[in-house]
Amino acid sequence: MTNSDSSDAVAEVDVIIDGITNEADGIISLTFASLTGDKMPRWEPGAHIDVLLGPELERQYSLCGDVNDERTLRVAVLREPDSRGGSQWVHERLSVGDKIRIRGPRNHFRLVEAQEYLFIAGGIGITPILPMIADCEARGSRWSLVYGGRSTDSMAFTTQLAKHQDRVRFWPQDENGHIDIRGFLGDPRPGTAIYCCGPGPLLDAVEDVCSQWPTDALHLERFRPRAGAMEGPESPFEVELEQSNMVVTVAVGQTIVDACKSAGVHIPTSCGEGTCGTCETVVLEGVPEHRDSYLTAQERESNEVVMPCCSRSRTSRLVLDL
């Protein structure tokens, strides 16, 4: 996963739902168009948007349409049995013609330059991979994909992907078991970029296999925090806000974001659990206790940034660029 880009567009736009399509068992795609007929924001493979479903309900969804389509944006949403409310709202309450607000696009999962691309997708994790494949095809890059799901019926966009023939390997779990990650990746080799998106256990397994690869080979995007990522003992600490010229105390059970909000300082957030990168903040002094599932191991070790929606401090005071 890459760092956020300060140039990412964060404007909010009112759109209309132009189409809803059943893509697989429990998965629908939604197409958004401008209310005024204007061009939609430009984006690159790996980007996502925030969909503002209600005053306290917003979710991030990867863009999975055509980057050259200036009229619409497309996302796909899995209806999750243990939904926190977002996917249930989308599946049950949204209809064609409804007006809704979106924010972005942002891109923390950019496609880097490489000699070869290996894509691993699980379930709804196929969504950010689709425009990456289209980009590889347009540039004539070498690539291959293994795409797993609970069953064939639960896997979206298979007809679209089947056109690529032997470059794509479908892996329904009820027929083949778990993806043979090591067999798909082969031996570590320079110039290869590995992109993976899907459920936590798949990403953890890919990280384990890729421990022998060059450190910059693997790129992940998580929809949920790593197991236990936000857990751990807590003590109060101080946060000095350099720009605001104030110091706030972060209590046990309180986030940096909430402590700052109480002091009148707003930090933009979205997921609230350290997966989207929206709240990424520069650390000027002190050592963060990283509890996010967004930064790479190298980025955590550098301690240059922190996700204040979930992380804490190893030192008695953090100085942040706020």
Side-chain angles (χ1 to χ4, degrees):
M1 186 176 291
T2 58
N3 279 338
S4 63
D5 185 337
S6 61
S7 66
D8 282 343
V10 293
E12 293 186 4
V13 180
D14 291 316
V15 297
I16 190 169
I17 299 178
D18 194 50
I20 297 178
T21 305
N22 289 316
E23 302 291 355
D25 184 17
I27 298 177
I28 60 173
S29 65
L30 297 92
T31 303
F32 302 119
S34 168
L35 282 173
T36 59
D38 294 337
K39 292 180 179 179
M40 296 295 278
R42 298 289 297 172
W43 59 282
E44 296 178 352
H48 72 268
I49 56 173
D50 304 327
V51 180
L52 283 60
L53 300 169
E56 301 295 330
L57 184 62
E58 62 180 69
R59 294 292 182 265
Q60 297 77 45
Y61 298 112
S62 298
L63 292 168
C64 60
D66 181 354
V67 296
N68 297 311
D69 181 358
E70 298 181 336
R71 195 186 72 84
T72 65
L73 298 175
R74 184 180 72 172
V75 301
V77 181
L78 167 68
R79 179 166 187 161
E80 302 184 56
D82 56 349
S83 169
R84 295 174 297 153
S87 71
Q88 181 179 353
W89 181 292
V90 170
H91 277 256
E92 294 183 1
R93 302 183 64 171
L94 294 183
S95 302
V96 173
D98 285 352
K99 298 176 180 62
I100 199 165
R101 175 163 287 196
I102 64 172
R103 182 190 302 121
R106 293 188 181 90
N107 200 343
H108 310 301
F109 196 41
R110 296 184 186 278
L111 194 63
V112 300
E113 290 292 331
Q115 297 173 18
E116 178 187 14
Y117 298 89
L118 299 176
F119 299 111
I120 304 172
I124 197 64
I126 190 62
T127 50
I129 303 298
L130 292 175
M132 293 184 179
I133 289 174
D135 185 84
C136 287
E137 283 287 283
R139 293 189 286 118
S141 301
R142 285 191 295 148
W143 66 272
S144 57
L145 162 72
V146 61
Y147 174 24
R150 297 188 315 275
S151 65
T152 300
D153 290 343
S154 72
M155 298 166 65
F157 308 111
T158 53
T159 300
Q160 174 181 338
L161 289 165
K163 297 176 182 178
H164 299 296
Q165 300 178 352
D166 59 355
R167 288 192 176 191
V168 175
R169 198 177 309 174
F170 297 111
W171 203 286
Q173 185 175 340
D174 61 350
E175 298 176 24
N176 300 334
H178 294 298
I179 295 173
D180 179 10
I181 299 168
R182 197 175 301 276
F184 173 70
L185 294 178
D187 295 329
R189 50 198 181 276
T192 301
I194 302 166
Y195 279 80
C196 180
C197 187
L202 172 63
L203 272 64
D204 293 341
V206 171
E207 277 190 310
D208 182 60
V209 172
C210 288
S211 62
Q212 305 303 313
W213 283 70
T215 55
D216 59 350
L218 179 60
H219 307 262
L220 300 177
E221 183 168 63
R222 291 182 180 268
F223 295 139
R224 292 287 180 268
R226 293 183 178 91
M230 297 191 292
E231 300 173 3
E234 295 187 2
S235 300
F237 59 96
E238 291 183 338
V239 173
E240 180 179 340
L241 311 179
E242 177 78 8
Q243 295 183 32
S244 304
N245 194 29
M246 65 173 63
V247 176
V248 300
T249 298
V250 182
V252 172
Q254 185 182 38
T255 67
I256 298 173
V257 166
D258 288 339
C260 290
K261 183 178 180 181
S262 296
V265 177
H266 173 69
I267 302 176
T269 63
S270 188
C271 72
E273 53 188 18
T275 59
C276 74
T278 300
C279 66
E280 182 176 315
T281 301
V282 172
V283 177
L284 301 176
E285 293 180 29
V287 181
E289 181 185 324
H290 298 289
R291 296 189 176 186
D292 66 277
S293 299
Y294 171 75
L295 296 173
T296 65
Q298 293 78 13
E299 289 166 341
R300 289 193 189 92
E301 290 173 5
S302 75
N303 290 319
E304 294 177 354
V305 296
V306 67
M307 300 300 158
C309 71
C310 62
S311 296
R312 300 188 67 79
S313 180
R314 296 186 181 277
T315 50
S316 60
R317 175 177 287 201
L318 280 181
V319 182
L320 301 181
D321 188 21
L322 291 169

